């Protein structure tokens, strides 16, 4: 019998070894950590902080700015916006209230009292202002709807609280400090009280991401003709402040003193934001 050449036996043994290794590798499960991570984690369950979608994000101690429903009354619409922090109302404002003729005077007198009552009670269980029954009723309904949004936000673990608050939002109207979301926390700043020839003017603003997202006059001249002037001028000044993002706004015609006091108080609030 012819002997096999030693070199041939070595080649055959090597080929058999390589074949065995290839077979083992093909049977071994994949241990790619990236693939395992991609397949093992269900979509939408990554542990990242939720971001607000046009509303105000709750949690992390941030403020919530919530806008109630528009309530129609016999004398005009009423709509309330509140700011909540730690489950408490820290600011309340009527962004819509009946105006025109006697209604302007009634709203100018009633709304500040209703705002104060909402903050003090922390609920919509507040007394109607004498002589402003319809406005008070509309205010309470709109306030309750804003509070309901705060409740639903808490129940869902701090998701979007209000689609119209853009604030949502935020902030847009996001006012919570979203981790990794890039949204800035809102600041509520009250300017100094400025005395004018017709009364005191004081402005409160909400600043988010360096921009004014809300402005309101917490004090303005009242009584007689002053109430009507304030009722007409203040909403325009509020709107101008948000649009301009500064105190460089035009005075409202026929409300020179109120406009001047408003701008001065607004600037002092912006100085606090800068500080």
């Amino acid at each position: 019998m012819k002997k096999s050449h030693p070199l041939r036996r070595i080649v055959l043994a090597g080929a058999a070894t390589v074949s065995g290794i290839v077979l083992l590798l093909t049977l071994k499960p994949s241990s790619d950590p990236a693939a395992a991570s991609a397949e093992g984690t269900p979509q939408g369950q990554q542990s990242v902080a939720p971001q607000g979608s046009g509303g105000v994000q709750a949690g992390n101690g941030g403020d919530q700015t919530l806008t109630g429903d528009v309530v129609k009354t016999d004398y005009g619409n009423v709509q309330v916006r509140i700011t909540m922090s730690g489950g408490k109302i820290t600011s309340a404002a009527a962004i819509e209230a009946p105006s025109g003729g006697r209604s302007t005077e009634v709203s100018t007198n009633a709304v500040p009292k209703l705002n104060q009552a909402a903050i003090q009670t922390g609920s919509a269980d507040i007394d109607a202002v004498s002589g402003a029954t319809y406005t008070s009723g509309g205010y309470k309904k709109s306030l309750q709807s804003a509070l309901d949004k705060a409740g639903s936000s808490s129940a869902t673990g701090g998701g979007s609280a209000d689609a119209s608050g853009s604030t949502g939002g935020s902030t847009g109207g996001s006012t919570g400090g979203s981790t990794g979301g890039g949204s800035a926390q809102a600041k509520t700043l009250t300017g100094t009280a400025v005395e004018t020839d017709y009364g005191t003017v004081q402005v409160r603003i909400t600043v988010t991401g360096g921009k004014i997202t809300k402005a309101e006059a917490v004090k303005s001249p009242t009584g007689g003709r002053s109430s009507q002037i304030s009722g007409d001028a203040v909403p325009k000044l509020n709107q101008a402040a948000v649009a301009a993002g500064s105190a460089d706004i035009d005075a409202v015609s026929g409300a020179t003193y109120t406009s001047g006091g408003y701008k001065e108080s607004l600037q002092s609030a912006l100085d606090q934001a800068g500080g």
Side-chain angles (χ1 to χ4, degrees):
M1 175 183 273
K2 188 176 180 180
K3 282 188 174 182
S4 297
H5 196 280
L7 180 60
R8 182 179 179 187
R9 283 185 289 174
I10 292 171
V11 170
L12 290 173
T17 302
V18 170
S19 299
I21 292 172
V22 170
L23 181 60
L24 287 172
L25 289 175
T26 57
L27 294 175
K28 185 178 180 181
S30 172
S31 60
D32 182 3
S37 174
E39 294 174 3
T41 305
Q43 185 177 4
Q45 292 186 5
Q46 290 88 345
S47 58
V48 295
Q51 298 180 12
S53 56
V56 180
Q57 183 174 325
N60 299 329
D63 293 344
Q64 285 183 301
T65 301
L66 305 157
T67 304
D69 298 334
V70 176
V71 178
K72 294 183 178 182
T73 75
D74 289 354
Y75 294 95
N77 293 342
V78 179
Q79 188 176 26
V80 177
R81 178 179 292 154
I82 58 173
T83 300
M84 297 192 70
S85 181
K88 296 181 179 180
I89 300 175
T90 57
S91 171
I95 55 178
E96 282 192 53
S99 60
R102 172 68 177 160
S103 294
T104 299
E105 187 174 345
V106 171
S107 294
T108 303
N109 173 62
V111 167
K113 296 177 181 177
L114 293 166
N115 292 339
Q116 185 176 6
I119 295 171
Q120 289 178 344
T121 62
S123 72
D125 186 17
I126 57 179
D127 294 332
V129 174
S130 177
T133 305
Y134 289 98
T135 299
S136 298
Y139 185 102
K140 292 169 68 176
K141 287 182 181 179
S142 184
L143 173 58
Q144 184 60 58
S145 69
L147 289 168
D148 290 343
K149 293 174 184 178
S152 63
S153 172
S154 299
T156 56
S160 175
D162 175 26
S164 66
S166 35
T167 52
S170 317
T171 169
S174 287
T175 59
S178 175
T179 304
S183 55
Q185 185 172 346
K187 293 181 181 178
T188 302
L189 305 160
T190 304
T192 56
V194 178
E195 298 293 335
T196 74
D197 288 355
Y198 294 96
T200 305
V201 180
Q202 189 173 26
V203 177
R204 179 183 294 147
I205 58 173
T206 300
V207 177
T208 307
K211 295 182 179 180
I212 300 175
T213 55
K214 174 186 170 186
E216 59 180 314
V218 293
K219 289 186 181 180
S220 60
T222 59
R225 173 69 175 158
S226 293
S227 295
Q228 186 173 350
I229 292 173
S230 294
D232 175 63
V234 168
K236 295 177 181 178
L237 293 166
N238 292 340
Q239 185 177 5
V242 174
S246 72
D248 185 19
I249 57 179
D250 294 332
V252 174
S253 177
T256 306
Y257 289 97
T258 299
S259 299
Y262 186 102
K263 292 168 66 175
E264 187 176 339
S265 183
L266 172 59
Q267 185 60 60
S268 70
L270 288 169
D271 290 343
Q272 295 175 44

